[in-house]
């Protein structure tokens, strides 16, 4: 394990590179000069006359524009991954829709995928764990035998797919393969996190008891260590980015027993914090002395290690997808692996150049305030000249009596003719950064001057999405499709019979996993890049309906009303069934139509 974790240290410098990009994103640690420190301290103390050296925001806006694009593309629908199918198995697709929708809410898919997209924009490296999770939940029921007035909480178990964003600073990767191929070709992948004693106890309760071991040794393995040095690999890493952070990271933990002076009553020597490493590895059981069939075939195992010393969990993964459940992706992929620059990397040089230009312009303004002065020390004291007051009265020395006072002090005028040009060049550098990333001001929420018509503007904005959509196409193939495949496979393999509430139909849906497994090949999982409209060509529905209106033979051969209703449901109008007439109402409507069509013959005016 220590050999695997060494990739995080000086040999790979992963943490160094991540930290560099975070400093640029948060605009921190750019200027460490004494002048900047004095100005910042003065501003913090309420003195606004001192001017700090600003950092021109180029990296942050471009990263956030990228995140907004991918979030709107993938995370704005419910469910995030809708399921489509043929009309005859539409109820089964509704079951999977319901499962995905509830898992997305229970495990906060949108939050974790959104954070992963931000990692991808900053580092061009993002990772999520997609695994079937069982956890305890509580529901409220009526139990008059226990409480007549209030509901009673009842502990139940919830199962579903968990998508969890992994911290790149404490990510474990097999760097011998491309990032997007780790789940297929990698020998291992994992992550490290900090847990308190209570969190570790809850972890033991959630794990399968048959594969759990060494609980006492794990709790007594000592207090974990964490480091703020990016070059170290011997501990959990906590980056130090924001100097004005509200609170410390809290990695030191808190010992309630010590606070209450009850440590002597402990039977186990607990620590306040533990370092917990989860590792998925392809192992050959025969080489490790593990009995069983197919011992010479590589198999995936899940290992959990506490403080890099005690193995508390070891399980052979029986997932049908046969992939490491950690999916690693890159927003920009060109086959160069970890060398490929991120959106932030492309913007950093322009931010640095524009910042340097702005700082030089501000330095010029400072010189206008504190100008150069020549003075005769035999006539004027230096302390009187340096004094900054709204009203100053300076007494000259006796040696200056009877002489022109204007000869005692001479101001050298400062010319700043080029300052306006410096700021203009800095603005042009920022525009160069936008060109490099492919984003314009409107995409970043800024006003863009121009004399284009509404249609020309719409065409320009549509074309401006070409580059991020190309990125999304590759992300769809290398990152989202494996996630969808694992989600679907886990449901077919592990989903138990249950009843879940569907927030679109506003009705409970019974889940029948046996039926789902029989028709799994007919279910397709959609998303933002491959929406329902593309999977089923729903744009043709309108043409079919229009053709049926002009061709009675088509209406006789095809269920046109069924086509219309199916298209409406695929478009999100699941409420359409709420207005469906029952058989009695349908017959009543038919009778009304027939009676309206059969009218008695009216006599013509003037007829005999």
């Amino acid at each position: 394990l220590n050999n695997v974790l060494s990739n995080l240290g000086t040999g790979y410098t992963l943490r160094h590179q991540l930290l560099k990009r975070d400093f640029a994103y948060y605009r921190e640690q750019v200027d460490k000069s004494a002048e900047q420190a004095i100005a910042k301290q003065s501003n913090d103390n309420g003195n606004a006359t001192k001017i700090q050296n600003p950092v021109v925001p180029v990296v942050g806006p471009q990263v956030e524009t990228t995140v907004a694009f991918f979030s709107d593309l993938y995370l704005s629908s419910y469910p995030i991954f809708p399921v489509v199918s043929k009309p005859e198995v539409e109820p089964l697709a509704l079951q999977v829709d319901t499962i995905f929708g509830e898992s997305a809410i229970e495990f906060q898919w949108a939050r974790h995928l959104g954070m992963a997209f931000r990692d991808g924009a900053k580092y061009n490296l993002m990772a999520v764990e997609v695994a079937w999770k069982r956890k305890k939940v509580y529901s409220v029921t009526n139990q008059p035998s226990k409480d007549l007035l209030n509901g009673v909480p009842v502990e139940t178990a919830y199962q579903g797919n968990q998508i969890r964003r992994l911290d790149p600073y404490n990510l474990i990767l097999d760097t011998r393969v491309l990032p997007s191929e780790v789940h297929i070709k990698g020998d291992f992948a994992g992550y490290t996190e900090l847990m308190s004693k209570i969190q570790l106890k809850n972890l033991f309760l959630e794990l399968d008891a048959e594969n759990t071991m060494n609980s006492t040794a794990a709790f007594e393995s000592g207090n974990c260590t964490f480091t703020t040095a990016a070059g170290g690999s011997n501990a959990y890493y906590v980056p130090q980015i924001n100097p004005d952070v509200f609170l410390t990271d809290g990695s030191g933990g808190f010992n309630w027993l010590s606070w209450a002076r009850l440590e002597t009553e402990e039977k186990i020597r607990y620590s306040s914090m533990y370092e917990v490493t989860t590792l998925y590895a392809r192992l050959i059981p025969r080489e490790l002395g593990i009995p069983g069939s197919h011992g010479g075939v590589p198999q995936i195992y899940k290992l959990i290690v506490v403080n890099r010393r005690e193995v508390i969990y070891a399980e052979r993964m029986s997932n049908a997808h046969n992939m490491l459940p950690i999916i690693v992706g890159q927003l920009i992929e060109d086959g160069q692996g970890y060398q490929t620059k991120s959106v932030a990397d492309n913007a950093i040089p322009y931010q640095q150049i524009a910042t340097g230009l702005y700082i030089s312009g501000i330095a010029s303004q400072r010189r206008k305030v504190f100008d150069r002065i020549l003075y005769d020390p035999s006539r004027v004291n230096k302390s009187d000249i340096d004094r900054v007051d709204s009203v100053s009265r300076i007494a000259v020395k006796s040696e200056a009596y009877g002489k022109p006072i204007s000869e005692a002090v001479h101001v050298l005028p400062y010319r700043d003719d080029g300052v306006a040009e410096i700021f203009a060049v800095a603005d042009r550098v920022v525009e160069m950064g936008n060109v490099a990333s492919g984003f314009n001001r409107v995409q970043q929420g800024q006003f863009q001057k121009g004399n284009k018509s509404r249609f020309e503007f719409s065409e320009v904005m549509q074309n401006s999405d070409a580059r991020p959509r190309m990125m999304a196409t590759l992300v769809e193939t290398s990152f989202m499709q494996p996630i969808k495949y694992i989600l679907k496979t886990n449901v077919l393999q592990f989903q138990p019979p249950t009843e879940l509430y569907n927030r679109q139909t506003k009705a409970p849906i019974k889940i029948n996993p046996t039926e789902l497994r029989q028709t799994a090949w007919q279910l397709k999982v959609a998303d933002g890049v491959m929406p329902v409209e593309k999977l089923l060509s729903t744009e043709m529905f309108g043409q079919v309906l229009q053709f049926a209106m002009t061709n009675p033979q088509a209406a006789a051969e095809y269920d046109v009303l069924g086509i219309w209703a199916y298209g409406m449901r695929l478009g999100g109008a699941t409420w359409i069934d709420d207005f469906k007439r029952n058989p009695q109402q349908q017959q009543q409507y038919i009778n009304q139509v027939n009676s309206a069509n059969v009218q008695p013959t009216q006599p013509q005016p003037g007829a005999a």
Side-chain angles (χ1 to χ4, degrees), residues 362-374:
I362 289 178
S364 175
Q365 302 307 301
R366 290 196 185 103
R367 294 187 65 182
K368 291 173 61 177
V369 178
F370 302 101
D371 220 332
R372 294 176 297 175
I373 298 176
L374 300 178

Side-chain angles (χ1 to χ4, degrees), residues 336-388:
Q336 299 301 320
Y338 297 94
Q339 297 187 68
T340 305
K341 290 186 175 183
S342 66
V343 174
D345 290 331
N346 290 328
I348 286 176
Y350 303 100
Q351 177 167 296
Q352 293 171 339
I353 296 172
T355 298
L357 290 170
Y358 263 86
I359 290 177
S360 67
I362 289 178
S364 175
Q365 302 307 301
R366 290 196 185 103
R367 294 187 65 182
K368 291 173 61 177
V369 178
F370 302 101
D371 220 332
R372 294 176 297 175
I373 298 176
L374 300 178
Y375 71 98
D376 185 352
S378 64
R379 303 185 191 185
V380 180
N381 291 323
K382 182 178 184 297
S383 59
D384 292 331
I385 298 176
D386 292 340
R387 185 184 307 165
V388 180

